[in-house]
Amino acid sequence: MKIGFIGGGNMAEGIIAGLVQNFLPSSIFVADPSEDRQAVLKERYEINTFDHHRYFLSEVDFIVLAIKPQGFANFLPEIAPLIQDHQVVISIAAGVTIGVISDLLKEEFAIVRAMPNMPAKVGHGVTGLFANPNVSDDQKNVVSEIFEGCGMATWVKEESHINAVIAVAGSSPAYFFYFAQLVGQVGAKLGLNEEVATKMAIQTMLGSAKLADIGDVNLDDLIRSICSPKGTTEQAMISFKESDLESIVEKAMVATVKRSEVLAEELAAQIKGQ
């Protein structure tokens, strides 16, 4: 099984770092115009690197489009004649729908839309996946394996649900960074060194995530295990509820979904207008 990446940026590298744990490095190909980037990827992962996709595009089984969305309008018609029926095209570009990709390729190829998030770079990412009907079950299994190498991969039933994945996983690292930053800042107001308090918050978030991930205990039980009656944590939780934190989070996530939908529409119009 051979996998070719067109574009060797940070997100592509995050996926590749996971891939080499389960796939032979010799089966992974990357095209990037930067010689420095080629050298870095080759040295770190011992994969095949080139300055142009023409050296491997016809040989791979899966083609990962890891270029900027704005480049799709010119690039996809260029490679369309080179794509073969057995190949699967995987796009990790935000906002580019499968319909837009199909229109640009002008043929009904097997296409997967993948939405990985930033923690994929450290092997703890989440990737939302959606495939058109041309992707077989066997091909979907391989796509799952590709993205499970850098974390969790989950298929959604409708392409519009990719926007929900963005709200839940794509944008949420920023939510957690922001919360850790706020805890550090308040810690400083309470007398701690802000840098130390922020590191304490980050370490606590890391440990809490592991606790939530390794056991069969649900989140409610974990919360209750820390909230002793009339204790310190209980007071914080009461304050959160009185401030209606649930509505604040919901409003923020809905705003993310709406913005994702608008950006996708704008990008589709821009691509079709080129």
Side-chain angles (χ1 to χ4, degrees):
M1 196 67 63
K2 296 180 180 180
I3 305 162
F5 288 76
I6 301 177
N10 289 329
M11 191 58 73
E13 183 177 359
I15 300 167
I16 291 166
L19 266 180
V20 295
Q21 306 300 318
N22 300 307
F23 291 79
L24 291 173
S26 60
S27 68
I28 303 170
F29 302 77
V30 181
D32 194 282
S34 168
E35 292 184 3
D36 290 341
R37 193 66 184 147
Q38 292 173 48
V40 166
L41 294 173
K42 190 174 187 65
E43 181 179 353
R44 287 179 182 171
Y45 308 106
E46 299 180 347
I47 58 176
N48 306 288
T49 60
F50 303 90
D51 62 359
H52 200 279
H53 56 269
R54 64 175 174 270
Y55 296 109
F56 62 78
L57 194 64
S58 62
E59 299 180 15
V60 299
D61 303 286
F62 295 83
I63 303 167
V64 182
L65 302 175
I67 61 174
K68 293 181 179 180
Q70 293 78 7
F72 274 48
N74 294 324
F75 183 72
L76 293 192
E78 174 190 326
I79 67 168
L82 306 176
I83 299 175
Q84 302 169 52
D85 289 340
H86 75 278
Q87 294 175 311
V88 178
V89 177
I90 304 171
S91 169
I92 64 171
V96 183
T97 65
I98 286 179
V100 169
I101 295 171
S102 294
D103 288 344
L104 291 171
L105 292 176
K106 301 185 185 306
E107 282 193 44
E108 290 297 319
F109 293 110
I111 302 172
V112 172
R113 186 176 172 194
M115 185 52 56
N117 66 358
M118 185 183 291
K121 297 179 183 179
V122 291
H124 292 282
V126 173
T127 303
L129 299 166
F130 180 79
N132 70 0
N134 299 322
V135 182
S136 70
D137 288 341
D138 287 341
Q139 290 170 329
K140 289 177 71 172
N141 289 336
V142 177
V143 172
S144 292
E145 189 175 354
I146 290 172
F147 289 97
E148 285 171 352
C150 58
M152 170 186 175
T154 182
W155 292 90
V156 296
K157 294 181 179 179
E158 298 178 21
E159 186 172 6
S160 61
H161 292 168
I162 287 290
N163 290 324
V165 172
I166 293 172
V168 171
S171 298
S172 62
Y175 314 160
F176 304 133
F177 297 154
Y178 183 48
F179 190 80
Q181 184 183 57
L182 291 177
V183 171
Q185 291 172 352
V186 175
K189 292 179 181 179
L190 297 174
L192 297 176
N193 175 278
E194 183 172 340
E195 182 178 353
V196 172
T198 302
K199 288 182 178 179
M200 290 169 63
I202 293 169
Q203 184 64 27
T204 301
M205 290 171 69
L206 177 62
S208 300
K210 288 184 177 180
L211 281 172
D213 188 52
I214 62 176
D216 295 329
V217 182
N218 63 41
L219 295 181
D220 279 337
D221 289 338
L222 285 171
I223 292 170
R224 280 193 292 268
S225 70
I226 301 172
C227 291
S228 302
K230 297 183 180 180
T232 57
T233 310
E234 184 185 61
Q235 293 305 303
M237 300 304 293
I238 290 172
S239 178
F240 285 147
K241 290 178 180 178
E242 288 178 346
S243 300
D244 202 5
L245 180 60
E246 181 179 348
S247 293
I248 293 171
V249 172
E250 181 179 353
K251 182 178 179 181
M253 294 178 67
V254 169
T256 299
V257 170
K258 289 182 178 178
R259 184 57 180 160
S260 298
E261 292 170 347
V262 169
L263 288 175
E265 291 171 1
E266 291 177 349
L267 189 57
Q270 177 186 342
I271 288 174
K272 290 180 180 179
Q274 290 181 353

